[in-house]
Amino acid sequence: MTDRDHAGADMHALIAGLFPICRSITGNGVRRTLDILGQHVPLEVHEVPSGTPVFDWIVPREWNVRDAYIQSADGRRVVDFRQSNLHVVNYSLPVRARMSLAALRPHLFTRPDWPEVVPYRTSYYKETWGFCLSQRQLENLAEGEYEVVIDSSLEPGALTYGEYHLPGEIDDEVLFTCHICHPSLANDNLSAVAVAVWLARTLAARPGRRYSYRFLFIPGTIGSITWLARNEGSVARIKHGVVLAGLGAGEAFTYKKSRRGDAEIDRVVSHTLSHASRPFSVADFSPYGYDERQFCSPGFNLPVGCLMRTPNGQYREYHTSADDLQFVAPALLAESLETCVRIVDVLERNGRYVNTSPKCEPQLGRRGLYRSLGGEMDAASRELAMLWVLNLSDGGPALLDIAERSGLPFSAIAAAADDLTSHGLLKPVTDLT
Ligand code: ZN
């Protein structure tokens, strides 16, 4: 197995370990999840008490569930939380009652268009209760009386999230964030949780990081609102950010740009995807989706985009029991990790240089820079990269600008800059803005 295969298999194994846990926006499922993630990266776990005001919101009461079922008169559990935590509507109030099927029906949710799957439903901000089941299960329920139990609690407690800060040479930060509030769903969003953990490990093992990195493992919406409310004074440090979501299924990547639309991160991700020779799409910002909605709210307007594969709601398995461990492919997880690492590579290396010999072209052959190594094609593109870097490096355009204008991959432009720098033909501009 290659390193890449290993990473894919390891991320899938992490997802498999997390999959059975019943998570929600608060509660012990989130804590257990962060405990497991903490075995891979040294997470700082924060507990924010229920009732804490966070901008226009209030940290909700904590929800925990121990058991839930619908039992028929003959004592059989016809819907059973122990078989899948998707069966209980997330954030359901506790219930213990006997009722007819007719009375129960308004509390039952199915997907009639896909009768085999159990849907995922939540009711965070409306006090109610319910069960999710397959349309097949529903059709098999006979009229009669049922015992209905949801052994849950909704009580003052805390909202829990995890944070990992990895310092670099400068305080400017790159933010990676992912939601950890979904129960047994694999692509949404354990896939991105696993990629974020492996990315954090990869970067932690690297010497000489320029940027500092911050990883957030937070419940969707209320988690990012809470984090922003608690960190309002230091968000100016975030120079680039990516929300990671749904990275384990679907062939093509989708990058949703920040609200700014022309932030460096938007250009870096677009460039990286365009040189990966795989299908991809880049979408403009919209105030619908994941936590980019909060990071890009007008009061913050941070340069934060969202990297996904097939976007939320646009694949059949989305928010159903079909988003399971088989749906998520180790090879796609590995490719997602690799893409994130490439994005970081561009951010780390992007900078401005000046040509120290700007009057006509310097003589590359004399310095051994002309057709000196590699195959014919490699040498040609390497030379082309050097010519572009020499021509445009007047202290204005940065390496990413040169990569975009030349149509060459950033890695080739950066390698050319290294070669030219080591031969004294290029000097970095240190007072980068
Ligand atoms: Zn979701």
Side-chain angles (χ1 to χ4, degrees):
M1 282 215 287
T2 64
D3 284 355
R4 186 180 166 162
D5 292 340
H6 274 295
D10 288 348
M11 285 187 277
H12 197 272
L14 174 64
I15 292 170
L18 296 169
F19 188 78
I21 299 172
C22 185
R23 278 165 295 268
S24 184
I25 52 173
T26 61
N28 292 327
V30 174
R31 291 192 188 96
R32 206 148 57 230
T33 299
L34 294 175
D35 273 354
I36 293 172
L37 300 185
Q39 295 163 14
H40 300 277
V41 281
L43 279 189
E44 202 178 308
V45 175
H46 301 267
E47 300 271 357
V48 185
S50 305
T52 304
V54 285
F55 299 120
D56 200 40
W57 299 59
I58 291 171
V59 173
R61 286 175 293 169
E62 182 174 326
W63 186 70
N64 285 291
V65 57
R66 288 156 290 276
D67 197 8
Y69 57 88
I70 300 171
Q71 190 167 290
S72 58
D74 60 4
R76 267 185 321 118
R77 286 186 174 205
V78 291
V79 176
D80 189 355
F81 172 78
R82 292 182 305 198
Q83 300 211 323
S84 165
N85 54 41
L86 297 181
H87 280 312
V88 64
V89 171
N90 208 285
Y91 251 69
S92 280
L93 294 173
V95 175
R96 203 169 280 273
R98 285 189 162 278
M99 58 180 73
S100 66
L101 183 58
L104 183 53
R105 264 183 204 280
H107 295 279
L108 302 181
F109 302 96
T110 66
R111 278 280 298 266
D113 61 315
W114 193 0
E116 287 76 27
V117 301
V118 178
Y120 161 60
R121 299 273 296 237
T122 65
S123 183
Y124 301 139
Y125 303 106
K126 182 173 166 235
E127 293 202 353
T128 184
W129 60 269
F131 286 89
C132 297
L133 62 165
S134 71
Q135 179 69 20
R136 293 267 181 273
Q137 275 176 297
L138 179 63
E139 285 161 6
N140 285 330
L141 295 185
E143 294 300 329
E145 277 243 312
Y146 289 89
E147 187 186 347
V148 178
V149 173
I150 298 179
D151 181 10
S152 66
S153 57
L154 190 56
E155 293 165 344
L159 177 149
T160 314
Y161 66 87
E163 187 164 13
Y164 177 45
H165 179 250
L166 190 57
E169 286 166 19
I170 58 176
D171 290 337
D172 288 354
E173 287 180 5
V174 183
L175 174 77
F176 287 97
T177 175
C178 54
H179 62 277
I180 52 157
C181 49
H182 287 30
S184 293
L185 298 169
N187 190 47
D188 180 17
N189 193 32
L190 294 175
S191 63
V193 169
V195 169
V197 166
W198 252 256
L199 179 62
R201 287 166 46 125
T202 305
L203 298 182
R206 265 191 185 182
R209 287 178 306 270
R210 182 158 70 107
Y211 283 110
S212 297
Y213 290 83
R214 189 174 298 277
F215 290 84
L216 298 181
F217 301 88
I218 51 177
T221 307
I222 189 67
S224 51
I225 292 170
T226 301
W227 188 85
L228 283 163
R230 287 161 59 92
N231 294 278
E232 194 178 355
S234 54
V235 293
R237 284 203 293 251
I238 298 173
K239 301 302 180 202
H240 319 282
V242 185
V243 174
L244 300 175
L247 291 172
E251 288 301 302
F253 283 105
T254 302
Y255 176 69
K256 180 177 151 186
K257 291 198 252 182
S258 73
R259 180 177 181 269
R260 298 181 187 185
D262 60 351
E264 187 176 336
I265 188 67
D266 299 327
R267 295 172 51 212
V268 167
V269 180
S270 301
H271 178 84
T272 303
L273 294 177
S274 72
H275 284 276
S277 57
R278 304 267 278 126
F280 72 97
S281 61
V282 174
D284 284 328
F285 177 78
S286 70
Y288 179 75
Y290 294 109
D291 285 320
E292 67 279 5
R293 293 156 67 164
Q294 315 310 331
F295 293 105
C296 296
S297 57
F300 288 104
N301 198 22
L302 292 169
V304 176
C306 178
L307 183 66
M308 305 168 271
R309 286 181 179 271
T310 314
N312 43 303
Q314 294 181 26
Y315 53 97
R316 191 172 183 235
E317 294 80 0
Y318 178 74
H319 282 191
T320 75
S321 54
D323 180 1
D324 60 10
L325 292 172
Q326 284 69 47
F327 184 54
V328 168
L332 296 181
L333 293 166
E335 189 193 44
S336 296
L337 173 64
E338 209 169 77
T339 300
C340 291
V341 170
R342 289 209 179 113
I343 290 165
V344 166
D345 287 342
V346 178
L347 290 171
E348 285 281 321
R349 276 304 315 271
N350 194 25
R352 291 186 180 80
Y353 290 79
V354 275
N355 180 342
T356 59
S357 177
K359 290 181 178 160
C360 297
E361 289 178 354
Q363 207 187 343
L364 299 179
R366 178 154 61 80
R367 297 175 170 88
L369 285 166
Y370 199 73
R371 307 257 155 157
S372 57
L373 49 92
E376 196 75 354
M377 281 299 287
D378 277 359
S381 64
R382 189 171 155 270
E383 282 154 21
L384 188 59
M386 284 193 288
L387 294 176
W388 273 107
V389 171
L390 283 169
N391 187 279
L392 293 182
S393 290
D394 56 7
L399 295 184
L400 178 62
D401 300 309
I402 300 173
E404 285 178 340
R405 186 156 166 194
S406 67
L408 295 170
F410 183 89
S411 53
I413 294 295
D418 284 343
D419 278 352
L420 294 167
T421 304
S422 68
H423 285 83
L425 290 172
L426 210 61
K427 266 193 349 207
V429 177
T430 44
D431 56 334
L432 280 183
T433 52

